Amino acid sequence: METQNILKFPDYFMIIGYFVLMLAIGLYFYRSMKGIKEYFSGSNNIPWWLSGVSFYMSSFSVMAFITYPSLCYRFGFVGVTLLWVAVPATLFSTIFLAHKWRRARIESPVEYLEHRYSPVLRQLFSWQGVPTKVIDDGIKLFAIGTFISVSLGFDIKWSMVGAGGIMLLYTFMGGLWAVAVTDFIQFIILTAAVIIILPLSLIRAGGISQVLDGLPEGFMNLTSPEYGWGYVIYLVVMYTLAWSSVNWALIQRYYCVPTERDAVKTGLSVVFLYIIGPPLMFIPAIVGTQLLPGLTDAGTIYPALCRLLLPAGMLGLMISAMFAATMSTLSGDYNVCANVLTHDVYRRLLRPAASQRELVLVGRLMTLLVGLLALGAALLMAYQAKAEDLFNIMVTLFSIATAPVAIPMILGLLSRSFTERSALWGFLLGLLLGLVLFGFSYYPHPFSFLFLEWTPGKDQIAFFGHAASLEMVLFLATSLTTFFTMVFITAISPMKQTEKDHIEPFLQRLQIPIGTLPEEMDSETVKSGVSPFRIVGVSLIIIAVMMMAVLPWSGNWTTFILNAIIGVFLVIVGLALALSGRSKPLVAE
């Protein structure tokens, strides 16, 4: 193996500059947050292109640069296929739900449950969802702490505290506007890094044809024996349910835009990014089978490639891009969880008449609480867990929690028939079954019951002799239990007139286009608000200056030219955006 590069001054310059820029964006929006709607939904004024990029960046984390490259390195192109499942999942939410979320005119992702079902469901899903997201965020924060520790040599505890603290600060200060704009800047950094490492890896390996000739047979197939079409279909269904229900930050990106047409554009832009993004990001890991053969931990392939291929400065850029992946996800989660705690718990139960200033203060305190709880969960993680162990924990967690929440939430928007009682019992029985089956997974002895067979150590349950992974069984069992419970209870106890009267105003609202209600007719109310153009433009120029500042350390002409072209392009786009933002208002009058 060739000697790998070590971090130098230009790398630290890029990393520190990246963190300072993120904090500056949060500070820029700090004084603009005058009300809870602006803090948590951008006053429904976030442009669709900004919301779409934020959606994309919020949907994966640094785990994507550990787990999926690991799969690509070991099994081939199937690692890309497993991330492509996001395409049908996003299409479903875009076609069937995006316009409904915007027309619901909600300020939090669970608010509509009170109007569609009952206050009980709204509170139940709020209190169930926040702890689940905190644990999930703790896993992601532990992953980024591990990555920083390995990449920079820092202590893992302080790595988590530092990265988590910076994310928390800019989210605390600037709300959803800061989250969306930092997501966009992080997307630019990630794209620039990918554009550089992909051609460098192919050139180092001798070109595309030589790479393909050196791969094992079937390595570029969409599936593999380890991850067949059955597993892919399972992931498609799970992502479809999760991205339309329990992943609150993604729902938030649909209703924070001006109109339902913008909500659809948001979803379609994410579909486009997910089609082209995964191959560009993870083909270098496939090339890595020839550049770095025999890695004992395949989860380190992407950092190892970066150290091997990237010169000083560009290595720092790629590390910043990997930070960006998780920081986008966590900042979005912090904001939307604080949104639920502020709007659905504090305002709904404790202080219905609270002033906007009070609600913004509470929102910031809730953001701080969520971030600190996630950091606490991360610090409790076992330090010896490998990349795929963390991935399995996340998948199992979502397998239990996803369907019992997702099915009532989605059916409540798609059908007017299902009752509040059916949703409640569907959720409770589905979740209970998932927890029972998960408990059985820790049973140390093999056993069989009727057509089921459990073998400890394999994390598999056999049905009639056909083995399936534990997370697939959990998801299938909870999904079927929740759905058929709702169907059964609705069939034997149809909706009464009082419940019909309760939900009718909400269902009618879903049929009314945005901008046609009397309170929405005021064009100033609809169009005014924070403008992202100036800060996005200036941020792009700063990134370009940082990239050009490390040109003397490029190491070769290919890197120099790519870096220079990207820098010039960012300056041109940044100037155009900054100048266009000069005439736009910063804050609504």
Side-chain angles (χ1 to χ4, degrees), residues 59 81-91 236 239 243 270-271 274:
S59 61
T81 302
L82 295 181
L83 197 51
W84 265 346
V85 300
V87 173
T90 309
L91 271 177
V236 168
Y239 271 60
W243 285 24
V270 176
V271 170
Y274 256 110

Side-chain angles (χ1 to χ4, degrees), residues 335-349:
N335 180 264
V336 78
C337 285
N339 183 7
V340 170
L341 290 173
T342 303
H343 183 69
D344 299 284
V345 178
Y346 181 83
R347 188 184 195 182
R348 178 64 181 84
L349 300 180

Side-chain angles (χ1 to χ4, degrees), residues 281-413:
M281 286 190 289
F282 302 134
I283 283 178
I286 297 176
V287 179
T289 59
Q290 298 175 33
L291 296 178
L292 296 168
L295 287 180
T296 55
D297 183 1
T300 64
I301 178 59
Y302 221 91
L305 278 174
C306 293
R307 287 180 175 271
L308 175 66
L309 298 172
L310 296 178
M314 291 302 97
L315 181 57
L317 178 70
M318 177 55 77
I319 291 174
S320 299
M322 295 184 188
F323 291 159
T326 290
M327 292 179 75
S328 296
T329 304
L330 290 178
S331 61
D333 283 349
Y334 291 172
N335 180 264
V336 78
C337 285
N339 183 7
V340 170
L341 290 173
T342 303
H343 183 69
D344 299 284
V345 178
Y346 181 83
R347 188 184 195 182
R348 178 64 181 84
L349 300 180
L350 302 177
R351 293 274 293 170
S355 67
Q356 290 298 306
R357 184 174 182 178
E358 177 184 343
L359 291 173
V360 171
L361 174 61
V362 172
R364 287 192 166 121
L365 293 177
M366 291 300 181
T367 302
L368 189 63
L369 174 64
V370 171
L372 291 177
L373 288 175
L375 178 60
L379 292 173
L380 292 175
M381 297 290 171
Y383 293 160
Q384 300 302 316
K386 291 187 177 180
E388 291 183 34
D389 296 328
L390 290 175
F391 179 73
N392 289 332
I393 291 173
M394 292 173 63
V395 171
T396 303
L397 177 66
F398 279 106
S399 297
I400 295 173
T402 297
V405 175
I407 291 175
M409 289 185 70
I410 294 173
L411 290 181
L413 289 172

Side-chain angles (χ1 to χ4, degrees), residues 124-179:
L124 185 62
F125 283 19
S126 298
W127 289 100
Q128 180 273 340
V130 171
T132 302
K133 297 301 295 181
V134 167
I135 294 172
D136 180 40
D137 289 344
I139 294 172
K140 294 171 183 173
L141 191 54
F142 171 65
I144 196 173
T146 303
F147 176 77
I148 295 173
S149 178
V150 172
S151 301
L152 305 182
F154 297 159
D155 178 75
I156 187 171
K157 295 180 182 178
W158 289 110
S159 298
M160 289 188 290
V161 170
I166 290 172
M167 283 179 273
L168 190 53
L169 274 176
Y170 72 71
T171 308
F172 172 88
M173 290 187 290
L176 184 60
W177 272 109
V179 171

Side-chain angles (χ1 to χ4, degrees), residues 23 28 36 57 77 181 241 246 249 279 404 427 459:
L23 288 175
Y28 175 85
I36 184 175
M57 291 299 295
F77 197 80
V181 171
L241 292 182
V246 297
F427 166 75
D459 283 337

